[in-house]
Amino acid sequence: MKIPISYSLRNLWTRRMTTLMTVAGMALVVFVFAATLMLTDGLQKTLVETGSPDNVVVIRKGSQSEVQSGIERLQASIITGQPEIAIGSDGSRMIAREMVVLINLPKRGSNKPANVVIRGIDSHSLALRPQVKLIEGRMPRAGSAEIIAGSSVARRFQGTGIGEHLRFGMREWTVVGIFEAGTTGFNSEVWGDADQLMQAFRRPVYSSLLFRLSDVGSFSKLKERLEGDPRLTVEAKLEPRFYLDQSEVMAKFLRILGITLTLIFSLGAIIGAMITMYAAVANRVSEIGTLRAIGFQRSSIMIAFLSEALLLGLLGGITGLAAASFMQLITISTMNWQTFSELAFSFSLTPATIIQSLGFSLVMGFTGGFIPAVRASRMSIVDALRGS
Amino acid sequence: MSEREIAVRMSGVCKSYQRGSQNVPVLEDINFEIASGEFLALMGPSGSGKSTLLNLLAGIDKADSGIITVGNCNITSLDDSELADWRAANVGFIFQFYNLIPVLTAFENIELPLLLTGLTRRERREHVLAALEVVSLTDRMDHRPSQLSGGQQQRVAIARAIITDPAILVADEPTGDLDRVSAGEIMDLMDHMVSDFGKTIIMVTHDPRAAEKAHVVRHLEKGILMES
Ligand SMILES: Nc1ncnc2c1ncn2[C@@H]1O[C@H](COP(=O)(O)OP(=O)(O)O)[C@@H](O)[C@H]1O
Ligand SMILES: [Mg+2]
């Protein structure tokens, strides 16, 4: 670069009011852009963390969620017999046969009904989910009408505190414990004995199976065998993958919405940058003539003005990212429309988002600055010098 | 006296400008020579084509026809990009309104043409300090143009013009915007460039006092160069 970058920087500083406004416009766009990516990343990160890397979820082939899935008892026992499943401390295979149904419960205060996931568990369910911890009371006894509630449910729904009672499935259930599951979706579930719940809801089939592999490396062969078995019509996924897939639709929706919004906004920011740069060129016509007379090539002039526009973009990018980084402090609680369970997650700033946001801001600067820079470089020297 | 080297030669140079659909002739069949080390003043009424003539021989404007040779180089055969490189090495510019870059300090303005050379930062610094010495502005090197008087700005411009040690300097009314005292200082400096540094100067001026310093004065009337 022939003309030093300090020349571009100082010109930006000299007209700092205009610079500030242009940068603010770009920063706003980058903020929206980065926040969208952070939201999607945060959502997926939470969901991936919901799963343990050596756990496998089995559901019926083609079902989008556990609620839609069904696995017959015979099929469940075939799967339980697979040698790849780890043996627990009690000597049995570490597999949980579970049933999931959705019910409506009235909220505390407003009395408005909302969806709650009821999960029928068995003896291995808790051990297979290290992120779930009983924080109050005790586990339900097998064969009893006892249930435990996730902390988020206990906080928000009527009759879900310890010692309280809930009516569903034509029976009355007693809450005997509260569990906490970090930021995972289990917080908005109610757990009880699978056999009791299946009877109550008159459901003859399980919803899903969850088991631990003794060796993760054996997964692909096991998957192939299970999915190829004509007696089974199931799909096996590693647990993190399972939860990631569950967020696919929502993540895609968020991304498309965010990127569409940003593209519309960015048009305004680009036009702003273009006006700023046109004014910069117009104000410095005789300067351009002087630089060219001294011997600077057209390309050097072009680069100097493009650098100025790129710097504007970069400043906007950094400002927007800095503002967006504060979003990490916010936790969002929403409904996962794919599973109808509640989902709490935070904005997550990844290196990829930083690079993409800065790249995007540079593209805005470049797009806004290109035509003015070309104009500056094309001027005839004599006209430029006379135009002072 | 031995035959002196020719610094600039113009033969059969014509130049006209397009104004709307009309072709306005500005220079007609200009033929002249400037010897190396000469200080030439170009005078004439406003609009007679003085600046145009200067711009042509400085390589920032193109003649319609004719040949312009500067040193050993036929600059009419150079393209845009070659001309830029040629100017960087061979011509120093001095303007009526100084044309310093407002955001750069005196030091940086003088250093600017050196950025087009292969000199290192340290070498550039040495050159700039020497040039500042010549124009007696060492104590003002960190000032911006807006912090300098007109005369001081023109001295910075002269330092910038000589920094790459070009053979010729072109000055378009260098004292046109200055008071008498400052103008006198600038003319002394120009004189110094010719007598002590061996530069060739072509200067357009309206100021008879400035023209007095020149070795040769030529007059331009309606695009025609008068015999001296
Ligand atoms: N770029 C240009 N476009 C059109 N006309 C021009 C241009 N440059 C100079 N002229 C015309 O050419 C004539 C000579 O201009 P100039 O060389 O600047 O005169 P001087 O310097 O002697 O006052 C003037 O009539 C001027 O209007
Ligand atoms: Mg003129």
Side-chain angles (χ1 to χ4, degrees):
Chain A
M1 195 179 304
K2 291 291 173 63
I3 299 176
I5 194 77
S6 61
Y7 169 74
S8 304
L9 263 174
R10 284 189 213 166
N11 275 302
L12 288 175
W13 178 247
T14 302
R15 54 183 156 92
R16 43 193 169 276
M17 205 55 213
T18 322
T19 300
L20 194 75
M21 312 245 278
T22 316
V23 165
M26 298 222 186
L28 194 70
V29 177
V30 173
F31 175 83
V32 175
F33 181 79
T36 309
L37 296 182
M38 287 166 68
L39 187 76
T40 321
D41 286 342
L43 170 71
Q44 299 207 304
K45 189 169 151 230
T46 300
L47 286 161
V48 169
E49 281 167 1
T50 300
S52 306
D54 50 359
N55 279 359
V56 175
V57 178
V58 179
I59 51 173
R60 188 176 62 208
K61 184 165 278 161
S63 46
Q64 301 294 312
S65 68
E66 286 176 281
V67 178
Q68 297 166 7
S69 160
I71 294 174
E72 284 164 30
R73 285 177 187 272
L74 179 68
Q75 296 178 322
S77 62
I78 293 171
I79 293 166
T80 308
Q82 301 301 316
E84 286 89 348
I85 301 175
I87 308 285
S89 50
D90 61 351
S92 66
R93 296 214 181 267
M94 292 195 68
I95 181 163
R97 282 156 293 209
E98 301 184 343
M99 184 222 57
V100 174
V101 288
L102 268 178
I103 61 160
N104 259 311
L105 286 181
K107 286 198 174 182
R108 288 191 198 278
S110 72
N111 214 22
K112 269 201 198 139
N115 277 321
V116 171
V117 172
I118 308 286
R119 183 181 296 274
I121 58 165
D122 77 11
S123 56
H124 289 298
S125 289
L126 196 64
L128 284 167
R129 295 190 177 89
Q131 70 275 55
V132 179
K133 296 205 166 57
L134 195 69
I135 51 167
E136 251 189 280
R138 57 176 174 79
M139 290 299 285
R141 279 181 311 228
S144 73
E146 290 176 349
I147 51 171
I148 54 176
S151 58
S152 159
V153 171
R155 212 169 38 246
R156 293 168 46 219
F157 288 91
Q158 292 178 13
T160 52
I162 282 197
E164 291 187 288
H165 304 282
L166 274 180
R167 259 203 90 78
F168 58 80
M170 292 180 294
R171 268 172 84 172
E172 189 157 85
W173 307 81
T174 310
V175 180
V176 297
I178 307 290
F179 65 88
E180 168 63 51
T183 57
T184 69
F186 300 123
N187 270 334
S188 38
E189 294 186 356
V190 169
W191 289 7
D193 181 60
D195 289 326
Q196 294 300 310
L197 285 163
M198 282 164 81
Q199 271 177 34
F201 286 102
R202 298 180 205 289
R203 281 194 43 148
V205 296
Y206 297 112
S207 300
S208 64
L209 304 187
L210 177 67
F211 61 80
R212 171 143 322 146
L213 289 168
S214 44
D215 170 22
V216 190
S218 63
F219 173 68
S220 52
K221 270 181 67 187
L222 174 64
K223 177 183 169 74
E224 212 174 297
R225 196 165 69 242
L226 290 180
E227 293 180 355
D229 192 324
R231 294 167 298 172
L232 311 169
T233 43
V234 297
E235 221 171 318
K237 288 180 183 176
L238 284 171
E239 208 183 11
R241 177 84 240 165
F242 174 76
Y243 285 110
L244 191 65
D245 287 351
Q246 297 231 306
S247 68
E248 200 81 317
V249 171
M250 190 136 115
K252 200 179 261 174
F253 171 74
L254 284 175
R255 269 201 201 100
I256 290 174
L257 182 73
I259 287 170
T260 310
L261 275 181
T262 354
L263 284 182
I264 294 169
F265 286 173
S266 72
L267 223 61
I270 288 169
I271 291 170
M274 202 177 282
I275 292 172
T276 305
M277 288 313 297
Y278 260 124
V281 172
N283 285 332
R284 301 208 314 262
V285 166
S286 79
E287 218 170 296
I288 294 166
T290 307
L291 288 168
R292 296 264 286 116
I294 286 173
F296 286 96
Q297 298 281 357
R298 289 183 194 279
S299 56
S300 300
I301 303 292
M302 167 108 182
I303 290 169
F305 279 92
L306 257 187
S307 307
E308 217 166 293
L310 286 172
L311 279 169
L312 274 176
L314 191 65
L315 285 172
I318 291 170
T319 315
L321 261 181
S325 72
F326 286 107
M327 299 293 285
Q328 289 179 107
L329 305 174
I330 298 174
T331 299
I332 288 197
S333 180
T334 185
M335 183 76 95
N336 184 342
W337 295 104
Q338 243 168 305
T339 58
F340 295 104
S341 61
E342 195 195 70
L343 199 58
F345 58 95
S346 313
F347 289 80
S348 157
L349 186 57
T350 63
T353 299
I354 294 178
I355 292 168
Q356 285 168 14
S357 301
L358 292 182
F360 179 62
S361 65
L362 287 175
V363 168
M364 280 197 291
F366 184 89
T367 315
F370 184 74
I371 302 173
V374 167
R375 196 183 128 84
S377 72
R378 290 236 178 116
M379 263 174 219
S380 111
I381 304 174
V382 177
D383 287 344
L385 286 172
R386 282 166 62 96
S388 56
Chain B
M1 204 171 107
S2 64
E3 177 96 350
R4 287 177 74 186
E5 239 181 276
I6 301 300
V8 181
R9 171 180 284 135
M10 282 195 168
S11 36
V13 170
C14 295
K15 176 72 183 174
S16 56
Y17 283 110
Q18 208 67 36
R19 197 172 291 152
S21 58
Q22 238 176 312
N23 200 40
V24 185
V26 178
L27 296 175
E28 281 171 70
D29 193 27
I30 302 287
N31 295 285
F32 90 119
E33 285 176 358
I34 306 165
S36 180
E38 201 162 74
F39 187 172
L40 180 137
L42 199 54
M43 300 187 81
S46 185
S48 56
K50 307 180 296 295
S51 295
T52 304
L53 181 62
L54 200 65
N55 292 343
L56 287 175
L57 66 86
I60 55 174
D61 204 354
K62 290 252 185 188
D64 297 340
S65 60
I67 290 175
I68 304 167
T69 317
V70 182
N72 299 319
C73 183
N74 173 7
I75 64 167
T76 40
S77 70
L78 301 180
D79 69 22
D80 250 27
S81 165
E82 291 166 336
L83 265 179
D85 290 340
W86 174 81
R87 287 193 303 271
N90 297 284
V91 190
F93 287 87
I94 301 162
F95 304 95
Q96 179 176 2
F97 299 105
Y98 334 124
N99 289 29
L100 299 177
I101 307 300
V103 298
L104 301 182
T105 63
F107 183 98
E108 291 163 334
N109 265 289
I110 298 169
E111 188 189 23
L112 211 47
L114 292 180
L115 299 176
L116 294 163
T117 66
L119 296 184
T120 65
R121 196 187 178 83
R122 177 183 298 171
E123 288 167 334
R124 294 201 303 264
R125 187 172 172 80
E126 280 167 13
H127 281 67
V128 175
L129 289 176
L132 276 161
E133 196 83 32
V134 171
V135 298
S136 319
L137 280 175
T138 309
D139 55 334
R140 297 299 173 104
M141 65 180 189
D142 292 325
H143 287 50
R144 295 276 176 95
S146 60
Q147 298 166 308
L148 299 172
S149 72
Q152 288 170 330
Q153 288 188 59
Q154 196 60 299
R155 274 146 63 193
V156 172
I158 291 173
R160 179 179 67 183
I162 60 167
I163 193 70
T164 55
D165 199 24
I168 66 168
L169 298 180
V170 296
D172 198 340
E173 306 194 32
T175 59
D177 196 46
L178 295 176
D179 61 79
R180 246 169 76 176
V181 178
S182 303
E185 286 170 8
I186 294 301
M187 289 320 300
D188 287 343
L189 211 45
M190 305 265 276
D191 193 33
H192 180 47
M193 293 300 140
V194 178
S195 45
D196 301 326
F197 292 95
K199 304 283 173 211
T200 307
I201 297 185
I202 304 100
M203 172 179 73
V204 168
T205 189
H206 277 120
D207 179 1
R209 224 182 290 268
E212 260 172 34
K213 291 275 182 183
H215 308 159
V216 188
V217 179
R218 299 292 299 265
H219 288 268
L220 200 61
E221 302 265 357
K222 291 185 182 148
I224 296 165
L225 200 60
M226 301 289 117
E227 287 309 314
S228 45

